[in-house]
Amino acid sequence: MKPWSLALCAALLSPGVFAAQDLELEAREAALAARLRCVVCQNQTVAESQAPIAKDMRKEIAVQLAQGRSDAEVVAFFEQRYGSFVRYAPPWKPSTWVLWCAPFVVLLGGLLLLWRTLRRRHQSVARPGLSPQERARAQAWLENRQDTPTPEDRP
């Protein structure tokens, strides 16, 4: 095969190779942008935000990925720059235990409060039992009542 035909084949095949690599980098960039929080927006990822800093963060992600850095290295770069707040899902470490456990503690506290409130309400609504004198009076009334036919009992 002649050298010019090899060069022609390489030139025809190379855009497909570069396009595949570009698609892979774009997919990684989108995934990383979805994992990072915009530092100025309220509860938005870098991928969702249209803030200027989010656009700069997306460009920085693309530059670092093009330089061959791994996803973990890119996340570590932003975490070093902005703190662990930049992660959309913070890691499980001692400084974030409150963040991860607080919803469960609040839920447990709410259930405990509900249980105590319902128990107190049930106790306050419950009628106290009859004293022995009241019980004897009621028994005498029932016995007296059974001996006397009522108008409903008569035919």
Side-chain angles (χ1 to χ4, degrees):
M1 199 177 247
K2 295 185 179 181
W4 61 270
S5 61
L6 279 175
L8 180 63
C9 287
L12 290 174
L13 292 176
S14 63
V17 172
F18 291 131
Q21 288 176 350
D22 288 345
L23 288 176
E24 180 185 337
L25 282 177
E26 286 179 21
R28 285 179 59 202
E29 179 187 345
L32 281 171
R35 287 176 41 198
L36 296 173
R37 181 187 313 270
C38 177
V39 293
V40 295
C41 301
Q42 289 289 332
N43 207 20
Q44 280 188 328
T45 64
V46 172
E48 297 169 338
S49 176
Q50 294 302 317
I53 194 164
K55 291 177 183 178
D56 292 341
M57 290 173 77
R58 285 192 295 267
K59 286 177 188 174
E60 184 64 32
I61 291 170
V63 167
Q64 289 195 17
L65 290 177
Q67 291 174 352
R69 294 208 171 111
S70 69
D71 293 358
E73 290 173 331
V74 174
V75 171
F77 168 79
F78 283 105
E79 193 170 2
Q80 181 183 10
R81 195 172 201 181
Y82 299 109
S84 61
F85 171 78
V86 78
R87 285 187 180 208
Y88 206 70
W92 177 258
K93 59 184 183 180
S95 63
T96 61
W97 286 352
V98 172
L99 182 66
W100 282 103
C101 297
F104 300 109
V105 170
V106 169
L107 178 66
L108 185 62
L111 290 174
L112 180 65
L113 182 66
L114 178 67
W115 176 73
R116 283 183 53 205
T117 304
L118 291 176
R119 195 178 93 212
R120 283 183 183 173
R121 184 180 295 172
H122 179 68
Q123 288 175 351
S124 67
V125 171
R127 296 184 184 127
L130 296 175
S131 67
Q133 295 86 8
E134 291 172 332
R135 190 178 303 275
R137 220 171 101 207
Q139 187 64 36
W141 184 78
L142 285 173
E143 287 171 1
N144 198 13
R145 179 98 172 141
Q146 289 174 356
D147 294 340
T148 311
T150 60
E152 298 147 358
D153 293 339
R154 294 182 191 151

